[in-house]
Amino acid sequence: MDSEIAVDCSPLLKIYKSGRIERLMGETTVPASLTPQNGVVSKDVVYSPDDNLSVRMYLPVKAAETGEKLPLLVYFHGGGFIIETAFSPTYHTFLTAAVSASDCVAVSVDYRRAPEHPIPISFDDSWTCLKWVFTHIAGSGSESWLNKHVDFSKLFLAGDSAGATIAHHMAMRAAKENLSPELSDSGISGIILVHPYFWSKTPIDDKETKDETLRSKIEAFWMMAATPNNKDGVDDPLINVVQSESVDISGLGCGKVLVMVAEKDALARQGWGYAAKLEKSEWKGKVELVESEGEDHVFHLMRPDCEKALEAMKIFARFLKGLM
């Protein structure tokens, strides 16, 4: 029966015995708009016709008028690889504000979600999008905003939660696989990891939660996204980036990293550990970590106008502007 529930992950989603998936949040969308919002216009562009995947692009109105070339932010949304899209009100609001504050162009990536499309499909789609972005580096790609308005010497990756995990792995892959014949390096200036979703079977330090119920929920969410391809659980190198000694991040393909964590977030210690691991490695770049005291996971998306969220946005923008 289609009404029989196999897995109940309320308030996020339900999976029925028939295989049907009912997402309970992150499914609402808002349209892009060429009518300025906070001085920013937006539009949707297909990057992968074969899989019918699109990005939502954001452009400051003044750049459209002057033809000025700006830094580019490629953003990967969060949602545990399972919920949310690049077109939700949550991410439209965040990217509009980020572009306005940072004076940049943004590409917000939509990727196929688990469990229908298990990991690593979300990573592969994100890589396909990055390669599409770099077809515009010489100014002759299919999308005019990228041709006319982007300074490709200032390209940044960012994401929150699962999107931060994707951003890290894209920067690692870019150091090994050339994104464009026009490049002599990775092509990525820096990355911003907001409340990154890294995890491990056992706590990485004495401050990380030891609550078995909570740890099991975090692990179960990963397993839901990664099954059937996953054989190592949360010790998979895609998520156990920090604790695993076999995961070398010294080859990260960018020169600077900003890690943002929230004090009450169960994932916060992983963010601290990631920054420490980078600093101890042979990576030659600069890493900075900023903690929002008294806040929990992705609070800035839930309450974008609160004081701590506005502070976080200022830091986000300063990094993109090269002021950190």
Side-chain angles (χ1 to χ4, degrees), residues 237-315:
L238 284 174
I239 189 169
N240 189 350
V241 169
V242 179
Q243 188 187 67
S244 176
E245 293 182 3
S246 65
V247 175
D248 180 7
I249 60 175
S250 64
L252 190 69
C254 61
K256 59 180 185 175
V257 174
L258 172 62
V259 182
M260 306 183 79
V261 299
E263 181 186 16
K264 293 184 177 180
D265 183 4
L267 303 178
R269 296 310 302 172
Q270 295 280 337
W272 280 96
Y274 178 86
K277 186 170 183 174
L278 258 188
E279 286 184 328
K280 292 175 183 176
S281 76
E282 295 182 2
W283 180 66
K284 303 301 182 185
K286 178 183 179 184
V287 59
E288 297 204 35
L289 184 140
V290 175
E291 183 175 71
S292 297
E293 294 181 2
E295 299 293 351
D296 212 329
H297 194 61
V298 298
F299 75 93
H300 64 294
L301 299 178
M302 304 299 103
R303 295 179 287 113
D305 296 322
C306 75
E307 182 181 351
K308 290 290 175 64
L310 296 175
E311 287 177 11
M313 181 62 78
K314 287 179 182 178
I315 294 167

Side-chain angles (χ1 to χ4, degrees), residues 50-123:
D50 290 348
D51 293 311
N52 193 29
L53 292 170
S54 300
V55 296
R56 177 156 295 179
M57 298 189 61
Y58 299 83
L59 178 71
V61 172
K62 67 175 185 178
E65 295 169 348
T66 65
E68 179 186 3
K69 288 187 178 288
L70 300 173
L72 176 64
L73 168 65
V74 180
Y75 194 88
F76 307 97
H77 71 80
F81 307 102
I82 292 175
I83 60 171
E84 282 292 352
T85 72
F87 317 114
S88 74
T90 298
Y91 286 101
H92 187 83
T93 297
F94 175 77
L95 268 300
T96 299
V99 167
S100 179
S102 309
D103 198 23
C104 67
V105 179
V107 169
S108 183
V109 183
D110 204 49
Y111 50 81
R112 286 174 290 175
R113 299 172 298 177
E116 303 98 319
H117 304 284
I119 289 168
I121 290 174
S122 50
F123 292 84

Side-chain angles (χ1 to χ4, degrees), residues 149-162:
H149 300 297
V150 170
D151 178 354
F152 273 88
S153 71
K154 299 176 181 176
L155 185 144
F156 297 86
L157 308 182
D160 64 278
S161 195

Side-chain angles (χ1 to χ4, degrees), residues 15-26:
I15 302 177
Y16 293 83
K17 288 184 178 180
S18 66
R20 180 171 66 91
I21 294 165
E22 181 186 9
R23 290 178 172 85
L24 304 175
M25 62 183 297

Side-chain angles (χ1 to χ4, degrees), residues 7-62:
V7 181
D8 190 340
C9 294
S10 300
L12 302 177
L13 80 162
K14 295 177 182 178
I15 302 177
Y16 293 83
K17 288 184 178 180
S18 66
R20 180 171 66 91
I21 294 165
E22 181 186 9
R23 290 178 172 85
L24 304 175
M25 62 183 297
E27 289 297 276
T28 304
T29 62
V30 293
S33 179
L34 294 176
T35 300
Q37 298 173 300
N38 203 12
V40 176
V41 290
S42 59
K43 65 178 178 179
D44 296 337
V45 180
V46 174
Y47 73 85
S48 178
D50 290 348
D51 293 311
N52 193 29
L53 292 170
S54 300
V55 296
R56 177 156 295 179
M57 298 189 61
Y58 299 83
L59 178 71
V61 172
K62 67 175 185 178

